[in-house]
C-alpha cells in the first residue's frame, strides 16, 4: 500500500483524501467533493474508470481511503450510494455554475485541512544529520591457526600453514585428503553442554567466535546491562549451513524417520546460528543471516554497518561460519573438480597466483567482528581497532562458478566500494585478496586489481588463504580480522607458496614470503562467491 506520507505528495491522492473526507459527512457533501477541482473531472474519470461501484453497505471513511490508496478495483460499495457514484464519475449528478461556485467555497475548508496535513508531514520529516560512523571494537575467530585473533594473526605473520591431512573421517578413497581442519576445539565456558552435543559445528564455531568477540571488546555482563538491547543485532551468515546435521538426518532416514534428530531442520538452517546467539544474549535488534556462497561474510559485515549507519542498531555482531569438512562436503567439491590434490605436501597445496596451483584447499571455522557506532563505543570507553568506511556488492551475471573473463563485475564492485567509503584509489595501499588458488579466479582478480590500483607504488597484496585454505562463507570475516590486525600492528602477513608467479603477475605488488612493515592508510578486502557474487569492504585506522 502507498504510505500516507506519499499520499500527501500526490495531487491525485490529495483529491482522493478530500473526496473521502466529504463522503464521511453524507450524500449531500459528496457533491461538493465531486466539485473539487472540477476542471479536471473528465480526466480523473478516465483515471478512475477501473473502479466500479458494487452492491453492499455504505463504506466507512477508512475503507474508502484504503481502497483509493491501493489503486485496486473498488468492489465494496453500493452502486445506489449517491456519494460514491459521484466520486467515481456518475452522470446522475449535475450542477450549474453557481452551484459549483458554492461547492468550491464549501470544500475550501477541507482542502485547507489537507494542505495543513501536507505541511505537518513536511515538518515531521527528520532533518539531515551527519552520517554515523562505524568502528570495530572486538574480534573473535575459530581457525586452524588459532582460536583468538592474536594467536591467529601471529601464526599468519610467521607464515605458518594450517593445512594438514584430514583426521575427522576416513577419506582414503577421496582424491583430495587435505584441508584446513580445526584439530582442537572446545565449547567449554561458551556453549551449554547439551547444545554442544546437538548443534552442527558451524553453529558452535559461530557461537564461540561471537562470544569471544564480545569478550575481546570488553563487553562484560555489567557493560551489556547498559546496552539498549533493542538496538543490538546479530548478522552472522553461512554458505552451507548445518550440513553435518542434515547429512546425519539422511543417514537416519535410511533406517526410519523415527530415528531422525528432531533438531535436524532448525539446526541445519543458516539463520539459526544468529538466532541462537541473539537468544543467548537477549539482543532484539536486526537478526538474520545472508548466504551468498563465499562472499557471505562481507555481505553480512556491510549490511551490519548499514544498520548502524541508518540508526537501526548501535552494536552488531557480524561475520560468517562454515564447517563442511565432512564426506558430503568434500565429495561435493571434488565432484566440482575444484580442490587441490597435493596430498603428499599439504602445507604447499594452497598457492594463490602460483603457476603450479591445482585448486583450492577447503578450510573451516568462523570469524566475527563487533561493530559499534562511534559515539556508543567512546561512551563506554571501548578500544577502537579500526574504522569501517564502506563497501559494495555486484553480480557478474555470467556463470555459476566461473568469474567474468574481463572482470567487469569485480571492477565495478571495487569502484562502488571506493565511492561508498569516500576513499581514492591512491589511499588504498593494502588489499587482502579473495585469491583462492584457482587458475581462473586468481588471475581475474589480479587483473581487476591492477586495473583499479596498478599505478599505486605503495600497494601491497596478499592472500590469507595461502595458509588457512578457503573457509567458504566464513572466509571474508576471518580475512577481515586479518585486515584489522594488519592495521593495528603495522605488519602485513606473507604470501606463502608463491614460488613461480603466473605470467603477468608483478611480484612488486605482492607481499613476499616474509611479513612486511606497512603503514596502512586504507585497506580493501575482497570476497567473491559462486553465482557471480562480488563484495568489497574497506577499513582504515581510526582517527
Amino acid at each position: 500500500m502507498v504510505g500516507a506520507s506519499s499520499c500527501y505528495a500526490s495531487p491525485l491522492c490529495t483529491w482522493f483524501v478530500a473526496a473521502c473526507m466529504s463522503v464521511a459527512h453524507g450524500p449531500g457533501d459528496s457533491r461538493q467533493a465531486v466539485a473539487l477541482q472540477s476542471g479536471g473531472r473528465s480526466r480523473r474519470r478516465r483515471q478512475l474508470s477501473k473502479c466500479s461501484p458494487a452492491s453492499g453497505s455504505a463504506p466507512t471513511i477508512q475503507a474508502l481511503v484504503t481502497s483509493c490508496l491501493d489503486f485496486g478495483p473498488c468492489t465494496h460499495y453500493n452502486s445506489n450510494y449517491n456519494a460514491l457514484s459521484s466520486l467515481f464519475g456518475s452522470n446522475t449528478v449535475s450542477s450549474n455554475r453557481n452551484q459549483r461556485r458554492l461547492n468550491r467555497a464549501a470544500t475550501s475548508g477541507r482542502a485547507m485541512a489537507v494542505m495543513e496535513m501536507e505541511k505537518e508531514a513536511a515538518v515531521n520529516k527528520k532533518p539531515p544529520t551527519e552520517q554515523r560512523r562505524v568502528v570495530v571494537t572486538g574480534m573473535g575467530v575459530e581457525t586452524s591457526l588459532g582460536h583468538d585473533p592474536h594467536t591467529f594473526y601471529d601464526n599468519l605473520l610467521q607464515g605458518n600453514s594450517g593445512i594438514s591431512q584430514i583426521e575427522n573421517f576416513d577419506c582414503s578413497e577421496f582424491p583430495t585428503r587435505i584441508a584446513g581442519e580445526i584439530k582442537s576445539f572446545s565449547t567449554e565456558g561458551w556453549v551449554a553442554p547439551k547444545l554442544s552435543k546437538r548443534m552442527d559445528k558451524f553453529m558452535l564455531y559461530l557461537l564461540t567466535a561471537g562470544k569471544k568477540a564480545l569478550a575481546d571488546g570488553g563487553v562484560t555482563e555489567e557493560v551489556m546491562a547498559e546496552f539498549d538491547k533493542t538496538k543490538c543485532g546479530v548478522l552472522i551468515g553461512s554458505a552451507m549451513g548445518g550440513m553435518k546435521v542434515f547429512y546425519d538426518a539422511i543417514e537416519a532416514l535410511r533406517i526410519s524417520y523415527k530415528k531422525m534428530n528432531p533438531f535436524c531442520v532448525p539446526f541445519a538452517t543458516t539463520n539459526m546460528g544468529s538466532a541462537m546467539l541473539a537468544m543467548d544474549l537477549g539482543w532484539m535488534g536486526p537478526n538474520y543471516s545472508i548466504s551468498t556462497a563465499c562472499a557471505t561474510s562481507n555481505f553480512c559485515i556491510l549490511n551490519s554497518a548499514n544498520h548502524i549507519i541508518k540508526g537501526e542498531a548501535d552494536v552488531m555482531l557480524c561475520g560468517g561460519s562454515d564447517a563442511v569438512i565432512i564426506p558430503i562436503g568434500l565429495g561435493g567439491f571434488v565432484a566440482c573438480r575444484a580442490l587441490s590434490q597435493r596430498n603428499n605436501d599439504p602445507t604447499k597445496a594452497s598457492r594463490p597466483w602460483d603457476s603450479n596451483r591445482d585448486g583450492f584447499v577447503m578450510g573451516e571455522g568462523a570469524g566475527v567482528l563487533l561493530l559499534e557506532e562511534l559515539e556508543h563505543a567512546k561512551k563506554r570507553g571501548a578500544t577502537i581497532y579500526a574504522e569501517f568506511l564502506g563497501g559494495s556488492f555486484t553480480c557478474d551475471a555470467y556463470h555459476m562458478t566461473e568469474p567474468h573473463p574481463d572482470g567487469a563485475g569485480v571492477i565495478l564492485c571495487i569502484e562502488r566500494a571506493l565511492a561508498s567509503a569516500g576513499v581514492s584509489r591512491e589511499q588504498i595501499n593494502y588489499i587482502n585478496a579473495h585469491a583462492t588458488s584457482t587458475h581462473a579466479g586468481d588471475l581475474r582478480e589480479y587483473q581487476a586489481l591492477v586495473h583499479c590500483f596498478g599505478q599505486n607504488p605503495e600497494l601491497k597484496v596478499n592472500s590469507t588463504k595461502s595458509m588457512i585454505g578457503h573457509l567458504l562463507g566464513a572466509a571474508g570475516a576471518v580475512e577481515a580480522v586479518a585486515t584489522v590486525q594488519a592495521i593495528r600492528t603495522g605488519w602485513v602477513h606473507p604470501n606463502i607458496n608463491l614460488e613461480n608467479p603466473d605470467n603477468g603477475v608483478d611480484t612488486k605488488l605482492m607481499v613476499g614470503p616474509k611479513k612486511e612493515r606497512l603503514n596502512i592508510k586504507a585497506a580493501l578486502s575482497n570476497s567473491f562467491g559462486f553465482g557471480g557474487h562480488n563484495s568489497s569492504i574497506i577499513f582504515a585506522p581510526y582517527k
Side-chain angles (χ1 to χ4, degrees):
M1 179 184 290
V2 177
S5 61
S6 63
C7 170
Y8 298 137
S10 165
L12 180 60
C13 285
T14 300
W15 184 81
F16 276 153
V17 171
C20 293
M21 292 171 66
S22 69
V23 168
H25 291 80
D29 287 342
S30 67
R31 297 185 184 88
Q32 299 165 357
V34 175
L36 182 64
Q37 299 180 3
S38 59
R41 182 167 54 187
S42 60
R43 175 173 58 83
R44 294 192 187 98
R45 281 179 186 156
R46 290 194 296 273
Q47 290 172 329
L48 298 173
S49 61
K50 64 179 182 178
C51 298
S52 57
S55 60
S57 60
T60 64
I61 180 65
Q62 182 179 3
L64 185 54
V65 170
T66 301
S67 178
C68 290
L69 295 181
D70 274 340
F71 294 102
C74 301
T75 58
H76 311 292
Y77 309 111
N78 191 332
S79 59
N80 296 322
Y81 191 64
N82 292 336
L84 198 58
S85 298
S86 301
L87 176 61
F88 290 104
S90 170
N91 292 325
T92 62
V93 178
S94 61
S95 301
N96 57 31
R97 289 181 180 178
N98 291 333
Q99 182 63 47
R100 284 201 297 271
R101 289 192 189 101
L102 291 173
N103 288 343
R104 287 193 196 103
T107 57
S108 62
R110 298 187 191 96
M112 288 297 294
V114 171
M115 291 171 65
E116 285 299 319
M117 285 188 281
E118 290 178 2
K119 191 180 297 184
E120 184 180 349
V123 169
N124 288 338
K125 286 182 179 177
K126 291 183 179 179
T129 57
E130 186 176 346
Q131 179 168 301
R132 287 154 57 97
R133 294 170 68 182
V134 180
V135 292
V136 181
T137 57
M139 299 179 288
V141 295
E142 296 294 346
T143 74
S144 59
L145 282 182
H147 304 285
D148 66 85
H150 310 291
T151 303
F152 166 65
Y153 199 64
D154 284 345
N155 276 313
L156 289 179
L157 290 178
Q158 293 169 31
N160 295 331
S161 175
I163 311 301
S164 61
Q165 297 288 337
I166 294 173
E167 298 176 1
N168 191 45
F169 63 96
D170 180 9
C171 57
S172 57
E173 300 300 318
F174 289 81
T176 293
R177 298 182 290 279
I178 56 173
E181 185 180 54
I182 295 176
K183 304 299 185 186
S184 61
F185 171 68
S186 173
T187 61
E188 187 175 353
W190 303 106
V191 183
K194 185 180 292 186
L195 286 176
S196 293
K197 294 176 182 178
R198 292 174 173 172
M199 285 182 171
D200 190 276
K201 266 190 177 180
F202 102 91
M203 292 180 67
L204 297 176
Y205 291 155
L206 182 158
L207 291 173
T208 54
K211 291 185 177 181
K212 287 178 179 180
L214 288 175
D216 183 60
V219 182
T220 62
E221 289 186 6
E222 291 76 16
V223 171
M224 199 186 302
E226 300 297 319
F227 286 5
D228 178 356
K229 292 189 177 181
T230 65
K231 301 192 76 175
C232 297
V234 184
L235 178 40
I236 306 173
S238 177
M240 311 300 287
M243 286 192 74
K244 180 64 164 60
V245 166
F246 206 73
Y247 175 76
D248 290 345
I250 293 171
E251 292 299 304
L253 184 59
R254 295 179 187 276
I255 302 170
S256 169
Y257 74 90
K258 296 179 181 179
K259 299 291 184 181
M260 293 176 66
N261 180 350
F263 296 96
C264 67
V265 172
F267 283 175
T269 58
T270 61
N271 70 297
M272 198 55 64
S274 289
M276 293 296 290
L277 183 54
M279 291 176 205
D280 199 349
L281 301 174
W283 286 15
M284 300 171 65
N287 186 285
Y288 55 102
S289 70
I290 295 172
S291 185
T292 48
C294 306
T296 291
S297 285
N298 276 12
F299 275 68
C300 292
I301 293 169
L302 180 51
N303 275 279
S304 294
N306 287 338
H307 284 303
I308 294 174
I309 290 168
K310 291 160 65 177
E312 296 165 349
D314 292 327
V315 181
M316 291 291 296
L317 283 171
C318 55
S321 180
D322 262 318
V324 295
I325 304 176
I326 58 175
I328 192 171
L330 180 64
F333 283 108
V334 164
C336 289
R337 300 179 181 177
L339 299 181
S340 170
Q341 298 183 17
R342 200 182 290 261
N343 299 305
N344 295 327
D345 198 359
T347 61
K348 298 286 188 181
S350 185
R351 40 198 320 115
W353 301 296
D354 189 84
S355 58
N356 294 320
R357 64 191 183 278
D358 68 331
F360 77 84
V361 179
M362 289 175 65
E364 64 178 352
V368 176
L369 298 182
L370 176 62
L371 296 186
E372 201 164 346
E373 194 273 325
L374 175 59
E375 296 304 320
H376 188 278
K378 288 165 66 176
K379 184 178 179 181
R380 71 177 185 88
T383 299
I384 297 174
Y385 296 153
E387 183 170 3
F388 180 87
L389 297 185
S392 184
F393 321 126
T394 61
C395 180
D396 281 347
Y398 171 72
H399 190 272
M400 281 194 299
T401 59
E402 293 295 316
H404 199 287
D406 63 9
V410 174
I411 293 170
L412 180 62
C413 187
I414 292 172
E415 289 177 343
R416 286 182 174 176
L418 293 172
S420 166
V423 170
S424 68
R425 299 183 184 205
E426 292 72 28
Q427 287 175 281
I428 300 289
N429 63 339
Y430 171 57
I431 297 174
N432 190 299
H434 181 64
T436 61
S437 190
T438 59
H439 283 286
D442 290 4
L443 199 54
R444 296 293 176 267
E445 181 182 15
Y446 174 82
Q447 291 166 346
L449 295 179
V450 170
H451 174 89
C452 294
F453 306 103
Q455 303 305 314
N456 186 350
E458 297 181 11
L459 182 65
K460 288 296 178 181
V461 182
N462 62 12
S463 171
T464 304
K465 294 182 182 72
S466 65
M467 287 174 271
I468 61 172
H470 192 354
L471 274 63
L472 308 178
V478 169
E479 290 158 15
V481 170
T483 302
V484 171
Q485 288 289 67
I487 291 171
R488 292 184 65 201
T489 63
W491 289 97
V492 291
H493 70 69
N495 286 303
I496 68 170
N497 303 324
L498 183 52
E499 297 164 355
N500 299 293
D502 253 336
N503 289 333
V505 172
D506 184 359
T507 54
K508 291 180 182 178
L509 295 178
M510 301 295 171
V511 181
K514 300 291 184 181
K515 66 181 181 180
E516 296 182 15
R517 270 285 181 192
L518 185 63
N519 180 24
I520 296 174
K521 299 175 184 176
L524 177 83
S525 182
N526 284 334
S527 286
F528 314 132
F530 281 0
H533 301 294
N534 305 308
S535 62
S536 299
I537 55 178
I538 298 175
F539 298 91
Y542 166 66
K543 296 179 181 178

